[in-house]
Amino acid sequence: MKQIFVIGASGQIGSELTMELRHRYGGNNVVAGYINGAEPKGVLRDSGPMELADITDPVALARVVQKYKIDTIYNLAALLSVVAESKPRLAWHIGIDGLWNVLEVARENGCAVFTPSSIGSFGPETPAQLTPQDTIQRPQTMYGITKVSGELLSDYYFRKYGVDTRAVRFPGIISYTTPPGGGTTDYAVEIYYSAVRGEDFTCPIAAGTKMDMMYMPDALHAAISLMEADPTRLIHRNAFNIASMSFDPEEIYGTIKALKPDFKMSYQVETLKQSIADSWPDFLDDSSARQEWDWEPHYDLQRMSKDMLEKLAEKL
Ligand code: AKB
């Protein structure tokens, strides 16, 4: 049985990934790592062990790994793209110094490591359509810089020390359990909350701006399947393009409006978010993930929208 440590277990992805891993591997085998001020609550707190484990504290990480005899680490600690622009030093400290701590503890204790990269690892010179797996990565945001550096550092630890590092490049993740905080793609979550609350939505991203997005169940499935994949089939490691849907604000609005005809959206474009979105690809080519570990998404925009509106209506 696997012994898993999720760093950043209270965040948007971490909270749901921890629950999914507990469901698959047993509650006691998945440790929820959190930072001060973000203690797990409710079912996340009650369904398995939790430990205070700040990624910037190597001693705390080693203590958890040794206490629970951890063999797999999911490292979800990061500042998202917009907030990282206002705190670039902290974004680097968490994204790179923190990753270094994780990779060292993994090297010393024989752990596999999953550290997500992002569509933010690409930049304005990257081919925007059907973005290849191996292509130009010259991001202009601090978030993107930490993501590319993280991909390279993770590959380095695999080649030099044999640490089993694997990752995907996540698109914007849409979910109804824990809201995202400080990303460029957050509008695609917030729009559903407005629709369910019966409020008009003001979109910070301009019409026509396409970005890759993914519903949370597909994102969880991607992370877990990649970590379970046969290593002899992996040509790439850090990190795989994955894709399921790409849309602009008009398309998501149209899909929600078809289900909630009174819903209204207007635009008030935010310069920073728009400039970040403009520097990211429109849609990725995920054929390497499909070939090397049988990646396949299950949700498109219609199916996701129906589910999001139903689940949020229950929640709110
Ligand atoms: C963000 O918008 O910063 C993230 C991402 C796409 O990595 N959701």
Side-chain angles (χ1 to χ4, degrees):
M1 184 52 84
K2 277 188 182 299
Q3 294 296 325
I4 299 172
F5 179 22
V6 180
I7 300 173
S10 307
Q12 185 200 12
I13 301 176
S15 57
E16 294 202 46
L17 181 64
T18 303
M19 293 309 299
E20 181 61 27
L21 290 166
R22 284 182 173 163
H23 176 67
R24 293 185 189 211
Y25 299 111
N28 286 335
N29 300 318
V30 182
V31 182
Y34 65 94
I35 53 170
N36 272 325
E39 286 83 4
K41 295 190 178 66
V43 68
L44 186 60
R45 178 196 54 213
D46 300 337
S47 56
M50 59 183 213
E51 292 283 346
L52 185 62
D54 189 320
I55 194 169
T56 62
D57 179 353
V59 176
L61 298 183
R63 190 183 56 77
V64 175
V65 165
Q66 281 153 17
K67 177 174 171 187
Y68 294 92
K69 300 188 171 40
I70 296 295
D71 56 49
T72 305
I73 302 173
Y74 286 84
N75 165 23
L76 298 169
L79 293 189
L80 291 184
S81 53
V82 176
V83 72
E85 285 307 291
S86 61
K87 298 175 186 167
R89 182 70 191 85
L90 182 61
W92 180 270
H93 191 42
I94 293 170
I96 299 303
D97 299 335
L99 173 60
W100 196 293
N101 293 338
V102 172
L103 292 169
E104 271 300 292
V105 83
R107 181 176 72 81
E108 283 165 1
N109 295 276
C111 306
V113 180
F114 174 87
T115 306
S117 183
S118 160
I119 54 172
S121 69
F122 298 111
E125 291 118 351
T126 304
Q129 285 163 23
L130 220 54
T131 303
Q133 170 66 39
D134 301 306
T135 186
I136 301 165
Q137 287 181 282
R138 304 280 298 170
Q140 293 180 351
T141 61
M142 181 47 69
Y143 180 66
I145 292 167
T146 64
K147 289 300 177 192
V148 180
S149 308
E151 290 187 11
L152 294 172
L153 191 59
S154 298
D155 271 344
Y156 180 83
Y157 264 73
F158 171 64
R159 273 198 302 273
K160 192 167 172 90
Y161 303 117
V163 178
D164 185 0
T165 56
R166 308 180 188 192
V168 295
R169 295 179 180 132
F170 275 139
I173 305 297
I174 295 166
S175 65
Y176 55 84
T177 303
T178 309
T184 306
T185 57
D186 292 8
Y187 91 89
V189 177
E190 289 155 3
I191 191 170
Y192 289 103
Y193 278 82
S194 294
V196 170
R197 289 190 173 119
E199 295 165 355
D200 296 351
F201 181 65
T202 307
C203 186
I205 299 290
T209 312
K210 275 188 180 282
M211 286 184 275
D212 270 302
M213 303 279 180
M214 184 172 288
Y215 199 28
M216 183 64 88
D218 277 334
L220 302 181
H221 160 69
I224 297 171
S225 326
L226 175 58
M227 292 313 279
E228 286 180 343
D230 174 357
T232 62
R233 287 180 61 198
L234 299 182
I235 298 162
H236 298 87
R237 279 183 169 264
N238 300 283
F240 283 93
N241 284 1
I242 53 169
S244 63
M245 63 185 92
S246 166
F247 52 76
D248 87 318
E250 287 296 309
E251 289 168 271
I252 186 171
Y253 171 57
T255 308
I256 296 173
K257 201 169 168 59
L259 298 163
K260 288 193 139 316
D262 294 336
F263 182 49
K264 291 196 178 54
M265 181 176 87
S266 59
Y267 290 94
Q268 203 170 317
V269 173
E270 291 179 28
T271 315
L272 174 59
K273 286 186 182 168
Q274 186 62 39
S275 69
I276 297 175
D278 285 340
S279 76
W280 289 356
D282 293 355
F283 57 94
L284 306 189
D285 172 4
D286 62 358
S287 50
S288 294
R290 289 174 185 266
Q291 279 156 21
E292 293 174 42
W293 48 279
D294 306 321
W295 155 247
E296 201 183 345
H298 296 104
Y299 285 87
D300 60 13
L301 178 56
Q302 271 72 26
R303 189 163 174 227
M304 173 180 78
S305 297
K306 191 169 171 299
D307 202 56
M308 273 296 282
L309 294 173
E310 281 169 17
K311 297 285 173 23
L312 271 181
E314 282 164 28
K315 178 179 161 176
L316 298 177

